[in-house]
Amino acid sequence: LVQILLFASAGTSGVAMALAGLAGLISAFLMIFMTGAMTKAVSDVYLGHEATVSGSYGYILRRWAAYLGTNLLCGLLVLGGVVLCLVPGIIFGFCIAFATQVFVLEGRAGWQAIQRSRELVGEGRWVRVLVLWFLLTLMISFIAAIPQMFLQFLIHDVALMQSLSAAWGALTTTFLTPISTIALILLYYDIRIRKEAFDLQVLA
C-alpha cells in the first residue's frame, strides 16, 4: 500500500525514484517484523497451539530491539561478504538461513542465533536450503514477472505502469511471503528432527 501511494503521488521520475527507495526501506522494515510474527504463528499452528495476530506480533515486539539487532547483524554479514567477494556473501547467506527461526523458536539472539543457524545448515544440509531457495525464487519471479511484462506492452503511461507494477508486487509479496516462511519453518523442523532426534510432541 505504501509503495502504491508513493508511486501514484510522484510527479516526476526523479521524485518517483526517491519515493520508491523510501517505500522500499519502509517495506523492508515492516517485512522483518511481519516475518518474525508469521514464524511464531506458523510454528504455533504446526505444534498444535492457538495462534493469534496479537499474540504473534506481541511476542516479537516484546523483544523488538534484540530481533531488529539480529536482523541487522545478518544483513551486515551478508553485505560485507558481497563487498569482499560474491562467494563469501553467498556462504554467509546460507549461514543465516534459519536465524529468524532460531530467534523466535529457540530464543537466541545476535551472534548466537547466527552460529546456531550455521550449525543447522552445516554438514551438507545447505544443499536442501539451496534447492528450497531456488524453487521459491523461481516461483515468485515467475508469478511477479509475467503480469508486469504484459503491463509494459499494454500501458505506455510510465506513472500508471509503475503504480500497477507496485500494486502487483505488493499483492505477490502479501500472498507468497507466507509460503516462503512456512517452507523455511518446515525445513527447520525437519532438519532438527533428522539431526537432533527432535520430538515435536515433547515441545508441543
Side-chain angles (χ1 to χ4, degrees):
L1 179 59
V2 172
Q3 290 177 335
I4 296 171
L5 293 175
L6 288 176
F7 273 121
S9 63
T12 64
S13 59
V15 174
M17 291 178 63
L19 293 178
L22 177 61
L25 290 176
I26 296 175
S27 298
F29 181 80
L30 295 176
M31 183 66 69
I32 289 174
F33 285 93
M34 184 187 74
T35 301
M38 195 176 302
T39 299
K40 173 62 176 173
V42 171
S43 180
D44 284 340
V45 172
Y46 188 62
L47 297 175
H49 298 162
E50 181 181 2
T52 64
V53 174
S54 59
S56 299
Y57 275 99
Y59 181 86
I60 295 297
L61 292 177
R62 281 193 295 270
R63 301 183 60 199
W64 69 269
Y67 180 65
L68 184 60
T70 300
N71 280 273
L72 289 176
L73 181 60
C74 291
L76 291 174
L77 185 65
V78 174
L79 180 61
V82 172
V83 170
L84 293 176
C85 181
L86 181 60
V87 175
I90 296 175
I91 294 175
F92 292 155
F94 283 112
C95 291
I96 66 168
F98 296 116
T100 296
Q101 286 72 26
V102 170
F103 179 92
V104 175
L105 305 177
E106 299 185 30
R108 307 189 192 191
W111 188 250
Q112 290 184 347
I114 294 174
Q115 287 182 316
R116 172 60 172 164
S117 175
R118 179 178 177 275
E119 177 186 346
L120 292 172
V121 178
E123 298 179 4
R125 288 179 291 272
W126 63 271
V127 176
R128 301 177 64 193
V129 178
L130 175 62
V131 172
L132 179 63
W133 277 353
F134 175 78
L135 293 176
L136 290 173
T137 301
L138 187 65
M139 178 187 67
I140 293 173
S141 299
F142 179 80
I143 294 175
I146 297 302
Q148 291 182 353
M149 291 175 60
F150 283 104
L151 288 176
Q152 291 178 354
F153 284 108
L154 297 176
I155 300 175
H156 301 288
D157 188 324
V158 176
L160 178 60
M161 191 270 290
Q162 289 179 335
S163 298
L164 292 176
S165 296
W168 181 251
L171 286 175
T172 54
T173 299
T174 300
F175 287 104
L176 296 180
T177 296
I179 297 176
S180 301
T181 302
I182 291 171
L184 281 174
I185 292 174
L186 294 180
L187 182 57
Y188 162 85
Y189 277 124
D190 183 69
I191 289 176
R192 290 199 65 183
I193 291 172
R194 294 171 183 267
K195 179 178 182 295
E196 304 171 346
F198 187 70
D199 192 334
L200 292 178
Q201 292 184 349
V202 171
L203 179 61

